[in-house]
Amino acid sequence: MGNLTGPLTGTVGRTAEVAEIQRMFLGPSLQAPARLVTLTGVGGVGKTRVALEAAAALQPRFRDGAWLVELSPLREQSALLAHVIAETLPLADQTTRPMTDILAEYLAERELLLVLDTCEHLADDCALLTEVLLSAAPGLRILVTSRRVLNAANEQVLAIEPLPVPDADDARAAASDAVALLTLRATEARPGFTVTDAERADLVRLCRRLDGLPLAIELAAARLRDLPVAELNARLDDRFAVLGNTDGIATDADPPWHQALRTAIGWSHQLCTPAERLLWARLSVFAGGFDTDTARQVCADPHLPGPRIPAVLNALRDKSILNWQPTGGGERYGMLDTIREFGGHWLRALGETDLLRHRHLDHYLALAQRGDSAWLGPDQYAWSGRLTTELDNVRTALEFGLDRPAGRAATELSGALWFFWHCCGFTREGLHYLERALARDTERSRARARVLWVCSLVLSTLGDTRSAEARAVESADVAAYLGDTEAAAEARAMAAFAAVISGDTQRAQELARGLFEAHRCEDGLAHPVLASALFLGHAHTLDNEIEKAVVVLEHLRADCERYGEIWMRAYAEYLLARADLARGHHTAAHHRGQAILEVKQRLNDRLGVAMCLDLLAAATAAAGLGERAARLLGLAQQLWDTLGRPQLGMPAWVAARELSEKQARAAIGNHLYETAYETGRAATWDAGMTYALG
């Protein structure tokens, strides 16, 4: 288990460091094993690569795997630290409890290695959180990379030093790790690159000049595409005096940059064309990655025309300033943190930081608004994937907007992302931003009316129906004041949702029926109408009015199918499958359940997945297949444990699950039931989904 992507390629050296990390965690015979190890070192020394190598070696020792949490995109967003860790883990809590408490509870009985990468900007918050988590979870071990120590309780520190480079007259010099890294990266930059005996001394000299610092060596290697080693050395010598204190980089920064790194990056910067330097600076506003079109829209202007952007991006990639990230959705580019920091310094020196941050925010607001407009249609998988890929940039845009003393862009962005928060597995994080937007922007506006109903939607999903009802009422009040009929309809639908979740089915029917009956399919899909149909069908189901439920839900299913909408349709199919079970149509319920499960899995809707697994278990148990039902119930329980609210606390769903368990036990006996149940509960996510869909 875990999220490590596999063995790293092109790693040179670091065998001793990886072995030492393993020794620290596993413990020598006379010393207790470490539980928190922090790898420190200057920027560009390779802390992340060492941590990943060590984590991959340690992963088999941990029953619940090794999990990498990348924290550099958070920048100053310390309030999201626990959320980001939870989203990395298979944890999708659907309550409003503090996320730190949820994390501690989840990890308490697990044996797991957590790798927190790039913590220096969040050191104090990471120290507090690691202490809480380690206190609650005896089987947890944490490996941290940071330019400075956390100063947490029981922290053990391992300093990662640059690669050693012996003296040029030492026979071992040409075979050193630093020279091997330089040669490997030069070969990657220029296929067919070879080193003559006469050049080996120059390679050693170059590595020594760069103090064996891996990132500095890799930047220099990119220049060997164009320059012989001797000339590269000569040019670098000329620039050390000039670039030792590179303009724009504070030499008294905490922590200070290594001189070799400042020089290597500053030199790479000087060797760039003016257009490349300008784009490098402007790209520093991105957190995580970006594609060519996004770079063009955010960074282009008369000084850097849009048609030139693709060529400049490729030039920066060739110089190792950018790294190329091919994905299923197309090519993307990324930038190492140290390289981004340098670009950010230059952007400030140019006086363009606010301008580019505003353009970045405007771009992601426009993206979210396009997603909002397109969501109730055939491209939901694509939009879910796109926004998940852009999550780091979305967070950065929201933080910038929420920190501005004026403007409504962050309010508009948090509201436009309703479909992402609610439908794609980011409910808790959505609530964080929605509540902040409401606290910051108190003026009555269409944007506030929208954020209020979205907040109500999220709160009902998390089980806080009282707060959800209050937000729905406030949204209705603002909508009435502004004459905003769309927000008024949404607020009414959200009040119906709060009612059905709280068990007040009569009120839910009263609120939802008017919206449902007034709609014509020819008018297109409208969220409050679809939602009200779903809530009305759900209320009928809970009241055991099966035929009434089927009429409403079939209408909803047909409308969604007509326009290619799948998320809402899947929930209609779920309730129709429950109706099938009530009428004894177990096979039909099972077929529907598997189709729904595939949709919910692809959209990362873990609540929907848990509901579907319970449904499949019920259909299977009713058909007398006790062992399969038990495994499905165990698999579902895995998810319900992470959601924090089994069956959303709804008595009818709890009773249905209890009936499934009773039927399965009766079919195969208690011993076989427990064995199958634990098999399902211990299954990996991928193996469990394969079994459920098989």
Side-chain angles (χ1 to χ4, degrees), residues 375-378 380-381 423 525 527 530-531 533-534 552-577 591-593 595-597 599-600 603 605 612 615:
W375 180 253
L376 297 179
Q380 290 177 333
Y381 290 142
C423 305
L525 298 184
H527 179 258
L530 297 182
L534 185 66
V552 173
L553 295 167
E554 284 289 4
H555 190 100
L556 171 60
R557 185 197 60 76
D559 283 357
C560 292
E561 185 173 26
R562 177 176 180 179
Y563 290 95
E565 196 280 341
I566 54 175
W567 190 89
M568 194 75 77
R569 177 186 169 185
Y571 276 114
E573 294 278 12
Y574 169 81
L575 292 172
L576 286 168
H591 287 323
R592 284 191 202 267
I596 303 162
L597 181 60
V599 171
K600 294 305 181 185
L603 290 174
D605 181 358
C612 286
L615 170 68

Side-chain angles (χ1 to χ4, degrees), residues 310-638:
V312 181
L313 287 172
N314 285 331
L316 289 173
R317 186 187 71 177
D318 289 342
K319 291 180 172 68
S320 296
I321 304 305
L322 300 179
N323 50 66
W324 182 51
Q325 303 171 343
T327 68
E331 295 183 357
R332 288 176 68 82
Y333 295 91
M335 192 183 292
L336 292 175
D337 295 333
T338 313
I339 303 293
R340 182 183 292 109
E341 289 171 15
F342 190 96
H345 281 291
W346 277 97
L347 193 65
R348 286 192 288 277
L350 292 170
E352 289 192 353
T353 300
D354 272 2
L355 171 65
L356 266 293
R357 293 294 299 271
H358 275 291
R359 293 182 68 174
H360 180 273
L361 170 58
D362 290 343
H363 171 77
Y364 284 98
L365 172 58
L367 177 68
Q369 289 171 335
R370 292 198 304 273
D372 174 24
S373 298
W375 180 253
L376 297 179
D379 298 322
Q380 290 177 333
Y381 290 142
W383 277 107
S384 174
R386 176 75 184 274
L387 268 298
T388 300
T389 299
E390 295 287 7
L391 181 55
D392 289 331
N393 281 307
V394 168
R395 288 170 176 153
T396 298
L398 280 165
E399 290 292 337
F400 176 73
L402 289 167
D403 286 343
R404 299 301 93 185
R408 186 158 287 142
T411 308
E412 294 172 346
L413 177 54
S414 61
L417 287 167
W418 70 270
F419 64 95
F420 184 64
W421 306 136
H422 180 57
C423 305
C424 303
F426 295 92
T427 314
R428 286 298 305 267
E429 186 168 340
L431 181 62
H432 168 81
Y433 283 118
L434 293 163
E435 295 282 16
R436 286 178 62 190
L438 290 173
R440 177 193 170 280
D441 185 1
T442 58
E443 182 181 343
R444 287 188 288 190
S445 65
R446 290 179 180 271
R448 181 174 176 83
R450 167 175 275 244
V451 171
L452 283 164
W453 72 252
V454 177
C455 199
S456 176
L457 173 65
V458 167
L459 285 164
S460 286
T461 304
L462 297 175
D464 187 354
T465 54
R466 180 173 297 180
S467 297
E469 173 68 22
R471 291 302 193 191
V473 169
E474 188 177 354
S475 179
D477 289 345
V478 175
Y481 174 81
L482 298 172
D484 186 344
T485 56
E486 179 182 346
E490 293 282 13
R492 183 181 178 93
M494 294 310 105
F497 187 25
V500 77
I501 293 295
S502 64
D504 190 350
T505 55
Q506 291 305 307
R507 174 167 166 74
Q509 289 190 39
E510 292 169 4
L511 289 166
R513 186 174 291 109
L515 288 171
F516 170 68
E517 292 179 348
H519 179 67
R520 298 178 305 169
C521 183
E522 292 75 15
D523 297 334
L525 298 184
H527 179 258
V529 176
L530 297 182
S532 64
L534 185 66
F535 305 148
L536 180 59
H538 194 177
H540 282 312
T541 302
L542 293 175
D543 287 341
N544 205 32
E545 298 170 344
I546 302 302
E547 298 309 319
K548 289 182 179 180
V550 168
V551 170
V552 173
L553 295 167
E554 284 289 4
H555 190 100
L556 171 60
R557 185 197 60 76
D559 283 357
C560 292
E561 185 173 26
R562 177 176 180 179
Y563 290 95
E565 196 280 341
I566 54 175
W567 190 89
M568 194 75 77
R569 177 186 169 185
Y571 276 114
E573 294 278 12
Y574 169 81
L575 292 172
L576 286 168
R578 283 291 180 190
D580 288 334
L581 285 176
R583 295 188 289 192
H585 301 160
H586 310 136
T587 302
H590 189 273
H591 287 323
R592 284 191 202 267
Q594 287 193 317
I596 303 162
L597 181 60
E598 189 169 357
V599 171
K600 294 305 181 185
Q601 181 192 15
R602 288 187 62 182
L603 290 174
N604 193 37
D605 181 358
R606 295 214 164 195
L607 172 59
V609 170
M611 292 164 59
C612 286
L613 290 172
D614 271 1
L615 170 68
L616 289 172
T620 306
L625 303 175
E627 182 178 356
R628 181 172 176 81
R631 284 186 65 174
L632 290 169
L633 286 169
L635 185 60
Q637 192 59 45
Q638 260 197 67

Side-chain angles (χ1 to χ4, degrees), residues 185 188-189 215-227 264-277 280 311-324 333-336 339:
R185 295 296 182 255
E188 292 171 351
L215 179 55
I217 289 172
E218 296 197 10
L219 289 170
R223 307 307 309 169
L224 290 175
R225 177 187 290 106
D226 308 311
L227 299 173
I265 295 180
W267 182 40
S268 294
H269 188 260
Q270 285 200 348
L271 291 175
C272 288
T273 66
E276 290 165 4
R277 291 197 291 267
W280 178 352
V312 181
L313 287 172
N314 285 331
L316 289 173
R317 186 187 71 177
D318 289 342
K319 291 180 172 68
S320 296
I321 304 305
L322 300 179
N323 50 66
W324 182 51
Y333 295 91
M335 192 183 292
L336 292 175
I339 303 293

